[in-house]
Amino acid sequence: MGYTVEDFIKSNEFSGIKIINNLYETNREIKGAQFISMADIENSGKGKLLLTSLRVYDNLDENTVIYHLEEFNKKGVSGFIVKRRNDTVPHKELFELFIHFCDAHRIPVLELPHNISYWTVLKYVLCHVYDLDIAKYLYNEIVQDQINHFLLHERYNEQTIETFFKKLETILENSVSLYDENYHCIYPITGQKEFTIIGDEKYVPHITTKHEYIRQKREYVEYIQKIDIRNYYHYYLVITEVNEPLSELDFVTLDNIIMALFYLLAQNVTKKEMEIKYLRDLRYRLINGVMSDAEEDDAASLLDLSDTDEYRVVTFYLNPEDKKEKNSIAQKNETKNLKKEMYHYLPKERIFYNTNHILYLYNEKDWKIKKEFRNTLEEIHKDIQDSLTRRNKKFKLLIGIGKSVKGYHGLKDSFKDSKAALEYIGLIREATGEKTKSIVDCAKLGFFQIFININDKEELRQYIPYSVIKLNEQDKKKNSELISTLECYLSNKQSIRKTSELMNVHPRTVSYRLSKIVDLTDIEFDNIAEILAVRNGIIILKILEQL
């Protein structure tokens, strides 16, 4: 005779397990082990040791229960392993009926202490009844059945993944955790531990599997499996050998679990993406000023925005060197990459994609020192631009910072200013002499802001001195470059030598042009007020060219 119930009891593998019925035969051969579930209640038995809490019988009448027990007896069940539930009168009555039947047919009933898992017993029995390859095959089927039952009967909600992991920890008898791509703990919700990958030792278990793990030793040995959802969302499943080393049957469990977890996480990602899209649409409408005040109040409540915090909208834009690349697929793809890279520098929840721009919602209270934010923007610009250059991508990253506004009702004004800062960045470069300027704060535009906000050409022309208009007309007639010479001369402390170097012309050419300018306009270079008006006039002239 093979492995019997008596052999199982005498193994003393499970402290506290005991026979609880009065009449039994322990010489019954164990030909396997199985959980009792409604799905396979007709096919259980056949010399197997059946594991049950009798929960599957809770909603069945007495006659049906007796029928099923008789079916088990006909198939030669070797015994039952149970965990007693005496929480209600019906449970007690069901248990008494069960014990009475087993006494009548001399079927041994073993009670398992609540601190010992059914799965522990299942793995032990399978490995003692079969050789390891068959045990792995049968165990794989049992795990699949249990997972399928869970997925089919568990309604998906916020607690589904938590419930799933609790079941997994019961099966593996070790700690299981789930982290996102930034190593933030998703499960467990409480008692979270810091996690990082410290090595790259690969581990492939001795089972038929497609999965390879990273194995590392910190306080305990850890097995790490990376799970990618849509090649965009990344998770890390971490199994920690807190209690005992993982067996080959445990890796069989994990093989099935990874597929099920992929399914659950895909559901979670889909739900999250729908929420993100909805919130993104709300932000878009709020920032673009297409909502009423009441609608803005409702949106702000969902977006967790305050009517007292200080906000600024920061716009990031990849400006193509070739104007034909505007709104191209290449620009859109690089913009999406930009958004992803920005997650390393700024809070993810405050970054969102808006057509071919990336917007960041700055909240002053998130930054203890304002200079830190400016330094972060400069770091982002340098790193991203260096990456673009290395990859030979012909884009220049521009960053426009909108004005500070109090409360969410002012976000549309800050967004408008951030776009204006980008729109006139070329002009600002010319006026300031900073040819590579790529970060523009509208709060520092000064008088530029006055002119930028005037969209009427005729109104703008009123601010251009007659001298500048006359020089512009002369340039158009004779291509004499008087405006550009005057601008360069004024921007470089009225230095003829510096102007000639920057314009790549002889100093005498600069002197001749300046003499021509004086003849045409009677300009007085030592008159501070006149020179200021002329400089402003040149700027307005360039604004008019962009309108």
Side-chain angles (χ1 to χ4, degrees):
M1 182 174 286
Y3 192 71
T4 66
V5 175
E6 186 171 355
D7 294 330
F8 174 75
I9 296 170
K10 286 182 177 180
S11 70
N12 294 320
E13 184 69 22
F14 306 101
S15 178
I17 195 168
K18 60 184 179 181
I19 296 180
I20 57 172
N21 59 327
N22 297 314
L23 302 172
Y24 50 83
E25 297 169 347
T26 57
N27 62 345
R28 293 179 179 234
E29 183 179 359
I30 301 174
K31 297 180 180 179
Q34 185 175 338
F35 294 107
I36 298 178
S37 68
M38 292 303 297
D40 58 10
I41 200 164
E42 295 289 349
N43 299 315
S44 300
K46 299 178 182 178
K48 293 179 180 177
L49 193 61
L50 300 181
L51 296 81
T52 181
S53 63
L54 303 181
R55 195 179 301 276
V56 294
Y57 297 115
D58 281 353
N59 298 317
L60 300 180
D61 59 57
E62 182 177 323
N63 290 333
T64 306
V65 173
I66 294 296
Y67 167 76
H68 287 303
L69 292 176
E70 286 175 345
E71 288 297 308
F72 293 150
N73 186 49
K74 288 177 185 177
K75 293 172 183 176
V77 60
S78 59
F80 291 96
I81 293 184
V82 300
K83 287 185 180 181
R84 199 183 314 215
R85 295 181 304 139
N86 291 327
D87 40 347
T88 66
V89 172
H91 290 160
K92 289 179 181 179
E93 292 176 349
L94 173 61
F95 197 79
E96 289 172 1
L97 174 66
F98 171 71
I99 292 294
H100 179 74
F101 179 89
C102 290
D103 275 344
H105 296 85
R106 307 183 74 84
I107 304 171
V109 180
L110 288 78
E111 184 174 19
L112 189 66
H114 282 277
N115 64 326
I116 300 176
S117 166
Y118 285 125
W119 288 93
T120 308
V121 176
L122 178 68
K123 286 183 277 189
Y124 179 83
V125 171
L126 290 178
C127 288
H128 279 74
V129 172
Y130 305 106
D131 66 48
L132 187 56
D133 287 337
I134 295 176
K136 286 190 287 189
Y137 172 78
L138 294 173
Y139 186 73
N140 179 65
E141 287 195 329
I142 294 171
V143 171
Q144 281 185 356
D145 287 344
Q146 292 294 312
I147 291 174
N148 291 339
H149 184 269
F150 176 85
L151 296 177
L152 286 171
H153 293 86
E154 187 78 16
R155 289 188 61 188
Y156 184 83
N157 55 42
E158 293 180 358
Q159 286 75 45
T160 302
I161 290 180
E162 183 180 1
T163 304
F164 183 78
F165 273 94
K166 285 180 178 177
K167 289 181 178 294
L168 177 56
E169 287 183 318
T170 300
I171 297 173
L172 296 178
E173 300 176 87
N174 275 306
S175 172
V176 181
S177 305
L178 183 69
Y179 298 85
D180 66 15
E181 58 194 15
N182 297 314
Y183 301 149
H184 296 146
C185 189
I186 298 172
Y187 178 87
I189 296 173
T190 58
Q192 300 176 356
K193 292 184 177 181
E194 290 185 2
F195 167 72
T196 187
I197 296 177
I198 59 174
D200 58 358
E201 178 190 345
K202 301 295 188 292
Y203 178 81
V204 180
H206 301 296
I207 62 171
T208 303
T209 179
K210 297 178 181 178
H211 303 296
E212 181 180 79
Y213 299 82
I214 296 174
R215 185 182 186 275
Q216 66 182 28
K217 177 72 162 41
R218 296 195 297 163
E219 183 180 0
Y220 301 98
V221 173
E222 297 171 330
Y223 292 91
I224 303 160
Q225 177 67 215
K226 186 178 180 182
I227 300 174
D228 293 326
I229 307 295
R230 300 180 187 172
N231 294 319
Y232 190 75
Y233 295 92
H234 311 293
Y235 299 90
Y236 296 95
L237 174 66
V238 182
I239 303 91
T240 307
E241 291 182 340
V242 174
N243 297 317
E244 57 185 41
L246 295 180
S247 67
E248 291 183 28
L249 292 187
D250 291 326
F251 283 105
V252 170
T253 298
L254 289 172
D255 219 46
N256 287 279
I257 287 296
I258 290 167
M259 294 303 297
L261 186 56
F262 181 91
Y263 169 76
L264 290 175
L265 290 175
Q267 277 190 300
N268 192 50
V269 164
T270 301
K271 181 173 178 287
K272 186 189 297 183
E273 285 186 338
M274 290 177 66
E275 291 173 352
I276 289 172
K277 184 179 184 304
Y278 176 66
L279 295 178
R280 184 181 64 206
D281 291 345
L282 284 181
R283 288 193 194 97
Y284 179 84
R285 295 181 63 213
L286 179 64
I287 287 176
N288 281 276
V290 295
M291 289 181 168
S292 65
D293 285 350
E295 288 173 329
E296 287 184 357
D297 291 338
D298 292 339
S301 177
L302 288 170
L303 297 170
D304 194 26
L305 298 176
S306 165
D307 59 355
T308 57
D309 286 352
E310 294 286 334
Y311 294 109
R312 304 184 82 172
V313 176
V314 184
T315 300
F316 297 78
Y317 177 67
L318 291 175
N319 189 38
E321 293 180 11
D322 183 351
K323 293 187 182 298
K324 294 178 181 178
E325 287 294 316
K326 279 193 174 182
N327 299 315
S328 66
I329 292 175
Q331 186 191 42
K332 289 179 180 178
N333 288 338
E334 285 301 323
T335 302
K336 288 178 181 178
N337 289 337
L338 168 62
K339 178 186 175 185
K340 199 171 181 181
E341 287 301 314
M342 285 172 59
Y343 292 159
H344 299 299
Y345 305 89
L346 300 169
K348 191 173 184 178
E349 64 275 8
R350 296 196 180 277
I351 300 169
F352 57 102
Y353 183 78
N354 186 16
T355 58
N356 57 349
H357 295 76
I358 301 296
L359 304 184
Y360 170 67
L361 191 56
Y362 166 88
N363 188 331
E364 189 175 282
K365 71 180 184 182
D366 293 340
W367 300 84
K368 294 180 181 178
I369 303 172
K370 290 183 180 179
K371 191 175 180 181
E372 286 182 3
F373 175 62
R374 178 71 187 207
N375 291 341
T376 299
L377 290 184
E378 290 175 354
E379 183 183 358
I380 291 173
H381 182 270
K382 182 182 182 305
D383 292 349
I384 297 298
Q385 195 60 60
D386 287 349
S387 173
L388 289 167
T389 303
R390 281 196 307 273
R391 294 182 291 116
N392 198 30
K393 300 297 182 180
K394 305 297 183 181
F395 295 94
K396 297 295 183 184
L397 175 60
L398 306 180
I399 303 174
I401 308 171
K403 69 181 179 182
S404 179
V405 293
K406 184 176 182 180
Y408 52 81
H409 286 299
L411 287 174
K412 51 185 173 290
D413 297 322
S414 184
F415 177 46
K416 181 181 178 182
D417 282 350
S418 73
K419 288 195 298 182
L422 292 180
E423 186 177 352
Y424 292 98
I425 196 167
L427 175 61
I428 293 163
R429 285 172 173 172
E430 290 287 339
T432 61
E434 298 179 68
K435 301 299 183 182
T436 60
K437 189 177 185 67
S438 299
I439 303 175
V440 180
D441 186 341
C442 78
K444 298 181 181 180
L445 290 181
F447 72 92
F448 284 104
Q449 194 71 27
I450 299 172
F451 300 131
I452 287 171
N453 289 332
I454 299 173
N455 293 317
D456 185 86
K457 288 187 177 183
E458 294 307 314
E459 186 178 352
L460 273 173
R461 286 187 205 280
Q462 297 176 23
Y463 294 94
I464 304 176
Y466 177 71
S467 57
V468 174
I469 293 173
K470 198 166 185 179
L471 293 175
N472 187 48
E473 289 173 350
Q474 181 73 7
D475 281 347
K476 287 179 178 178
K477 287 179 183 177
K478 300 190 176 183
N479 194 26
S480 50
E481 297 187 67
L482 297 180
I483 288 285
S484 58
T485 302
L486 177 59
E487 182 183 20
C488 188
Y489 179 67
L490 295 178
S491 296
N492 290 281
K493 300 179 180 179
Q494 300 188 20
S495 168
I496 291 176
R497 182 185 61 80
K498 187 68 174 175
T499 303
S500 68
E501 290 175 358
L502 291 173
M503 297 191 72
N504 197 28
V505 295
H506 196 278
R508 288 180 183 176
T509 302
V510 176
S511 296
Y512 170 77
R513 290 177 184 175
L514 290 174
S515 177
K516 186 72 174 175
I517 288 169
V518 172
D519 289 343
L520 287 170
T521 64
D522 291 326
I523 189 171
E524 297 178 9
F525 288 111
D526 56 353
N527 186 328
I528 296 174
E530 183 179 6
I531 294 304
L532 178 61
V534 167
R535 290 185 64 125
N536 289 350
I538 294 173
I539 291 169
I540 296 168
L541 198 62
K542 292 185 176 182
I543 293 175
L544 282 170
E545 289 173 356
Q546 293 195 31
L547 289 177

